[in-house]
mmCIF file of all heavy atoms in Angstrom:
data_model
loop_
_atom_site.group_PDB
_atom_site.id
_atom_site.type_symbol
_atom_site.label_atom_id
_atom_site.label_comp_id
_atom_site.label_asym_id
_atom_site.label_seq_id
_atom_site.Cartn_x
_atom_site.Cartn_y
_atom_site.Cartn_z
ATOM 1 N N TRP U 311 -25.414 14.879 15.575
ATOM 2 C CA TRP U 311 -25.531 13.555 14.946
ATOM 3 C C TRP U 311 -24.488 13.408 13.848
ATOM 4 O O TRP U 311 -23.853 12.352 13.721
ATOM 5 C CB TRP U 311 -26.933 13.373 14.360
ATOM 6 C CG TRP U 311 -27.085 12.082 13.613
ATOM 7 C CD1 TRP U 311 -27.378 10.853 14.137
ATOM 8 C CD2 TRP U 311 -26.926 11.883 12.201
ATOM 9 N NE1 TRP U 311 -27.411 9.898 13.141
ATOM 10 C CE2 TRP U 311 -27.136 10.513 11.942
ATOM 11 C CE3 TRP U 311 -26.632 12.727 11.135
ATOM 12 C CZ2 TRP U 311 -27.058 9.973 10.663
ATOM 13 C CZ3 TRP U 311 -26.548 12.193 9.847
ATOM 14 C CH2 TRP U 311 -26.764 10.829 9.628
ATOM 15 N N MET U 315 -21.555 10.611 13.558
ATOM 16 C CA MET U 315 -21.377 9.767 12.382
ATOM 17 C C MET U 315 -19.980 9.937 11.790
ATOM 18 O O MET U 315 -19.396 8.974 11.267
ATOM 19 C CB MET U 315 -22.435 10.107 11.335
ATOM 20 C CG MET U 315 -23.827 9.603 11.671
ATOM 21 S SD MET U 315 -23.935 7.806 11.794
ATOM 22 C CE MET U 315 -23.643 7.326 10.091
ATOM 23 N N PRO U 357 -16.934 -1.417 10.988
ATOM 24 C CA PRO U 357 -17.800 -0.571 11.818
ATOM 25 C C PRO U 357 -18.347 0.641 11.071
ATOM 26 O O PRO U 357 -19.468 1.091 11.339
ATOM 27 C CB PRO U 357 -16.873 -0.144 12.961
ATOM 28 C CG PRO U 357 -15.827 -1.195 13.031
ATOM 29 C CD PRO U 357 -15.600 -1.593 11.605
ATOM 30 N N SER U 358 -17.555 1.176 10.133
ATOM 31 C CA SER U 358 -18.022 2.312 9.338
ATOM 32 C C SER U 358 -19.217 1.928 8.481
ATOM 33 O O SER U 358 -20.256 2.614 8.477
ATOM 34 C CB SER U 358 -16.886 2.823 8.452
ATOM 35 O OG SER U 358 -17.343 3.829 7.569
ATOM 36 N N HIS U 359 -19.097 0.822 7.764
ATOM 37 C CA HIS U 359 -20.216 0.349 6.957
ATOM 38 C C HIS U 359 -21.405 0.001 7.844
ATOM 39 O O HIS U 359 -22.564 0.272 7.481
ATOM 40 C CB HIS U 359 -19.800 -0.880 6.149
ATOM 41 C CG HIS U 359 -18.783 -0.575 5.096
ATOM 42 N ND1 HIS U 359 -17.862 -1.494 4.657
ATOM 43 C CD2 HIS U 359 -18.522 0.557 4.398
ATOM 44 C CE1 HIS U 359 -17.092 -0.959 3.734
ATOM 45 N NE2 HIS U 359 -17.477 0.293 3.558
ATOM 46 N N GLY U 360 -21.130 -0.583 8.998
ATOM 47 C CA GLY U 360 -22.211 -0.933 9.923
ATOM 48 C C GLY U 360 -22.979 0.286 10.395
ATOM 49 O O GLY U 360 -24.213 0.261 10.489
ATOM 50 N N ALA U 361 -22.265 1.382 10.692
ATOM 51 C CA ALA U 361 -22.927 2.603 11.147
ATOM 52 C C ALA U 361 -23.818 3.195 10.063
ATOM 53 O O ALA U 361 -24.941 3.633 10.333
ATOM 54 C CB ALA U 361 -21.881 3.627 11.587
ATOM 55 N N VAL U 362 -23.328 3.199 8.825
ATOM 56 C CA VAL U 362 -24.111 3.753 7.716
ATOM 57 C C VAL U 362 -25.354 2.899 7.450
ATOM 58 O O VAL U 362 -26.467 3.427 7.311
ATOM 59 C CB VAL U 362 -23.243 3.842 6.444
ATOM 60 C CG1 VAL U 362 -24.096 4.241 5.244
ATOM 61 C CG2 VAL U 362 -22.124 4.850 6.645
ATOM 62 N N ILE U 363 -25.170 1.592 7.396
ATOM 63 C CA ILE U 363 -26.312 0.698 7.165
ATOM 64 C C ILE U 363 -27.303 0.785 8.320
ATOM 65 O O ILE U 363 -28.523 0.827 8.120
ATOM 66 C CB ILE U 363 -25.824 -0.750 6.968
ATOM 67 C CG1 ILE U 363 -24.995 -0.854 5.686
ATOM 68 C CG2 ILE U 363 -27.002 -1.721 6.917
ATOM 69 C CD1 ILE U 363 -24.293 -2.185 5.511
ATOM 70 N N GLY U 364 -26.785 0.835 9.559
ATOM 71 C CA GLY U 364 -27.651 0.935 10.720
ATOM 72 C C GLY U 364 -28.455 2.225 10.728
ATOM 73 O O GLY U 364 -29.647 2.233 11.063
ATOM 74 N N ALA U 365 -27.817 3.330 10.368
ATOM 75 C CA ALA U 365 -28.530 4.615 10.300
ATOM 76 C C ALA U 365 -29.621 4.566 9.240
ATOM 77 O O ALA U 365 -30.736 5.077 9.442
ATOM 78 C CB ALA U 365 -27.544 5.743 10.011
ATOM 79 N N TRP U 366 -29.308 3.954 8.101
ATOM 80 C CA TRP U 366 -30.293 3.840 7.015
ATOM 81 C C TRP U 366 -31.492 2.994 7.452
ATOM 82 O O TRP U 366 -32.645 3.376 7.251
ATOM 83 C CB TRP U 366 -29.613 3.239 5.793
ATOM 84 C CG TRP U 366 -30.532 3.053 4.629
ATOM 85 C CD1 TRP U 366 -31.144 4.022 3.876
ATOM 86 C CD2 TRP U 366 -30.941 1.793 4.065
ATOM 87 N NE1 TRP U 366 -31.906 3.451 2.889
ATOM 88 C CE2 TRP U 366 -31.806 2.093 2.975
ATOM 89 C CE3 TRP U 366 -30.658 0.463 4.366
ATOM 90 C CZ2 TRP U 366 -32.388 1.097 2.205
ATOM 91 C CZ3 TRP U 366 -31.233 -0.530 3.584
ATOM 92 C CH2 TRP U 366 -32.079 -0.210 2.534
ATOM 93 N N LEU U 367 -31.212 1.862 8.083
ATOM 94 C CA LEU U 367 -32.305 1.018 8.570
ATOM 95 C C LEU U 367 -33.075 1.715 9.690
ATOM 96 O O LEU U 367 -34.304 1.572 9.790
ATOM 97 C CB LEU U 367 -31.748 -0.323 9.067
ATOM 98 C CG LEU U 367 -31.148 -1.250 8.008
ATOM 99 C CD1 LEU U 367 -30.532 -2.478 8.651
ATOM 100 C CD2 LEU U 367 -32.209 -1.662 6.989
ATOM 101 N N GLY U 368 -32.354 2.465 10.524
ATOM 102 C CA GLY U 368 -33.011 3.167 11.617
ATOM 103 C C GLY U 368 -33.964 4.249 11.157
ATOM 104 O O GLY U 368 -34.863 4.651 11.898
ATOM 105 N N ALA U 369 -33.759 4.739 9.935
ATOM 106 C CA ALA U 369 -34.629 5.802 9.415
ATOM 107 C C ALA U 369 -35.970 5.262 8.932
ATOM 108 O O ALA U 369 -36.911 6.042 8.753
ATOM 109 C CB ALA U 369 -33.926 6.529 8.271
ATOM 110 N N TRP U 370 -36.091 3.975 8.711
ATOM 111 C CA TRP U 370 -37.323 3.410 8.164
ATOM 112 C C TRP U 370 -38.572 3.707 9.002
ATOM 113 O O TRP U 370 -39.625 4.004 8.439
ATOM 114 C CB TRP U 370 -37.160 1.896 7.986
ATOM 115 C CG TRP U 370 -36.346 1.520 6.780
ATOM 116 C CD1 TRP U 370 -35.445 2.318 6.127
ATOM 117 C CD2 TRP U 370 -36.343 0.278 6.085
ATOM 118 N NE1 TRP U 370 -34.860 1.638 5.083
ATOM 119 C CE2 TRP U 370 -35.397 0.382 5.033
ATOM 120 C CE3 TRP U 370 -37.020 -0.921 6.252
ATOM 121 C CZ2 TRP U 370 -35.148 -0.661 4.152
ATOM 122 C CZ3 TRP U 370 -36.770 -1.967 5.374
ATOM 123 C CH2 TRP U 370 -35.840 -1.839 4.334
ATOM 124 N N PRO U 371 -38.507 3.621 10.348
ATOM 125 C CA PRO U 371 -39.740 3.868 11.119
ATOM 126 C C PRO U 371 -40.166 5.340 11.162
ATOM 127 O O PRO U 371 -41.293 5.632 11.559
ATOM 128 C CB PRO U 371 -39.366 3.390 12.539
ATOM 129 C CG PRO U 371 -38.151 2.559 12.382
ATOM 130 C CD PRO U 371 -37.420 3.135 11.204
ATOM 131 N N CYS U 386 -34.193 7.584 16.220
ATOM 132 C CA CYS U 386 -34.081 6.193 15.781
ATOM 133 C C CYS U 386 -32.909 6.002 14.821
ATOM 134 O O CYS U 386 -32.306 4.915 14.765
ATOM 135 C CB CYS U 386 -35.386 5.728 15.148
ATOM 136 S SG CYS U 386 -35.994 6.757 13.802
ATOM 137 N N VAL U 387 -32.545 7.058 14.090
ATOM 138 C CA VAL U 387 -31.379 6.974 13.211
ATOM 139 C C VAL U 387 -30.099 6.810 14.038
ATOM 140 O O VAL U 387 -29.186 6.071 13.654
ATOM 141 C CB VAL U 387 -31.295 8.228 12.321
ATOM 142 C CG1 VAL U 387 -30.057 8.191 11.449
ATOM 143 C CG2 VAL U 387 -32.538 8.349 11.455
ATOM 144 N N THR U 388 -30.043 7.491 15.173
ATOM 145 C CA THR U 388 -28.877 7.367 16.058
ATOM 146 C C THR U 388 -28.803 5.977 16.665
ATOM 147 O O THR U 388 -27.722 5.369 16.720
ATOM 148 C CB THR U 388 -28.942 8.421 17.175
ATOM 149 O OG1 THR U 388 -29.029 9.727 16.598
ATOM 150 C CG2 THR U 388 -27.709 8.344 18.065
ATOM 151 N N TYR U 389 -29.933 5.475 17.133
ATOM 152 C CA TYR U 389 -29.957 4.109 17.665
ATOM 153 C C TYR U 389 -29.463 3.118 16.611
ATOM 154 O O TYR U 389 -28.666 2.212 16.907
ATOM 155 C CB TYR U 389 -31.372 3.724 18.103
ATOM 156 C CG TYR U 389 -31.786 4.263 19.449
ATOM 157 C CD1 TYR U 389 -32.952 5.001 19.598
ATOM 158 C CD2 TYR U 389 -31.027 4.011 20.589
ATOM 159 C CE1 TYR U 389 -33.344 5.485 20.833
ATOM 160 C CE2 TYR U 389 -31.397 4.489 21.830
ATOM 161 C CZ TYR U 389 -32.563 5.230 21.945
ATOM 162 O OH TYR U 389 -32.940 5.716 23.173
ATOM 163 N N GLY U 390 -29.938 3.282 15.374
ATOM 164 C CA GLY U 390 -29.527 2.382 14.310
ATOM 165 C C GLY U 390 -28.051 2.482 14.008
ATOM 166 O O GLY U 390 -27.378 1.462 13.808
ATOM 167 N N ALA U 391 -27.531 3.715 13.972
ATOM 168 C CA ALA U 391 -26.110 3.915 13.676
ATOM 169 C C ALA U 391 -25.225 3.295 14.755
ATOM 170 O O ALA U 391 -24.224 2.639 14.447
ATOM 171 C CB ALA U 391 -25.806 5.403 13.541
ATOM 172 N N ILE U 392 -25.594 3.504 16.017
ATOM 173 C CA ILE U 392 -24.793 2.946 17.111
ATOM 174 C C ILE U 392 -24.851 1.423 17.085
ATOM 175 O O ILE U 392 -23.823 0.741 17.239
ATOM 176 C CB ILE U 392 -25.278 3.486 18.468
ATOM 177 C CG1 ILE U 392 -24.978 4.990 18.571
ATOM 178 C CG2 ILE U 392 -24.606 2.737 19.626
ATOM 179 C CD1 ILE U 392 -25.531 5.636 19.821
ATOM 180 N N ALA U 393 -26.057 0.870 16.889
ATOM 181 C CA ALA U 393 -26.188 -0.588 16.833
ATOM 182 C C ALA U 393 -25.381 -1.164 15.676
ATOM 183 O O ALA U 393 -24.661 -2.160 15.839
ATOM 184 C CB ALA U 393 -27.661 -0.970 16.700
ATOM 185 N N GLY U 394 -25.478 -0.523 14.501
ATOM 186 C CA GLY U 394 -24.716 -0.997 13.356
ATOM 187 C C GLY U 394 -23.221 -0.897 13.575
ATOM 188 O O GLY U 394 -22.457 -1.779 13.169
ATOM 189 N N HIS U 395 -22.793 0.179 14.239
ATOM 190 C CA HIS U 395 -21.373 0.368 14.524
ATOM 191 C C HIS U 395 -20.861 -0.718 15.480
ATOM 192 O O HIS U 395 -19.771 -1.272 15.267
ATOM 193 C CB HIS U 395 -21.172 1.747 15.142
ATOM 194 C CG HIS U 395 -19.745 2.115 15.355
ATOM 195 N ND1 HIS U 395 -18.852 2.322 14.327
ATOM 196 C CD2 HIS U 395 -19.033 2.324 16.500
ATOM 197 C CE1 HIS U 395 -17.674 2.644 14.811
ATOM 198 N NE2 HIS U 395 -17.754 2.642 16.121
ATOM 199 N N ILE U 397 -22.175 -3.727 15.985
ATOM 200 C CA ILE U 397 -22.160 -5.006 15.259
ATOM 201 C C ILE U 397 -20.948 -5.070 14.333
ATOM 202 O O ILE U 397 -20.288 -6.104 14.209
ATOM 203 C CB ILE U 397 -23.464 -5.178 14.455
ATOM 204 C CG1 ILE U 397 -24.653 -5.351 15.410
ATOM 205 C CG2 ILE U 397 -23.364 -6.376 13.507
ATOM 206 C CD1 ILE U 397 -26.004 -5.328 14.726
#
Side-chain angles (χ1 to χ4, degrees):
W311 176 84
M315 286 298 293
S358 174
H359 293 151
V362 173
I363 294 171
W366 179 67
L367 293 175
W370 283 22
C386 54
V387 177
T388 303
Y389 280 126
I392 292 175
H395 186 66
I397 292 172

